[in-house]
Amino acid sequence: MNQFELEINKAKQKIAELNKKYIKSKWTFLIVSIALLLMSAFNGLLSAYAIAKNPNLTAVWLFVSISFITAIMAFLTASSTLFAFSKRRANTKSKLEYLEKIEKELQTNTLSISRDELVVELAQIDLDE
């Protein structure tokens, strides 16, 4: 194999790794969001049951305040999770698009940068973000 084919293979490997990370982060976000939604729903149902079955007015107010605090915390947690995963997804997607563009340029031999610069850029892409 010559140097050109090695560079193409290296770019393809990084693209495959980024695709795996992209899909993994997408599914992780989905699973975490669904789990958080279910936990909040069950907590709300249990609190409603405790409120309905408790004759003590002080305990009822306690359960209402716990339900209110839980709802706020669930919303804040879901929001922060959404922003964290969205940012990671966007970063991975931009890296993936860049590598796919370089792969196409390598295959058509219209690469706008030198091969030395390409090797340096490929080495600097951090797949562990």
Side-chain angles (χ1 to χ4, degrees), residues 17-59:
E17 288 178 35
L18 283 174
N19 268 328
K20 286 179 190 176
K21 288 185 98 173
Y22 176 75
I23 291 170
K24 184 179 176 182
S25 66
K26 193 173 182 179
W27 279 103
T28 302
F29 171 71
L30 184 64
I31 289 168
V32 168
S33 295
I34 289 172
L36 184 61
L37 180 69
L38 289 175
M39 287 172 29
S40 296
F42 285 132
N43 194 5
L45 288 174
L46 289 174
S47 293
Y49 180 77
I51 291 168
K53 296 295 180 181
N54 199 330
N56 186 351
L57 189 59
T58 306

Side-chain angles (χ1 to χ4, degrees), residues 54-64:
N54 199 330
N56 186 351
L57 189 59
T58 306
V60 169
W61 280 108
L62 179 67
F63 284 124
V64 168

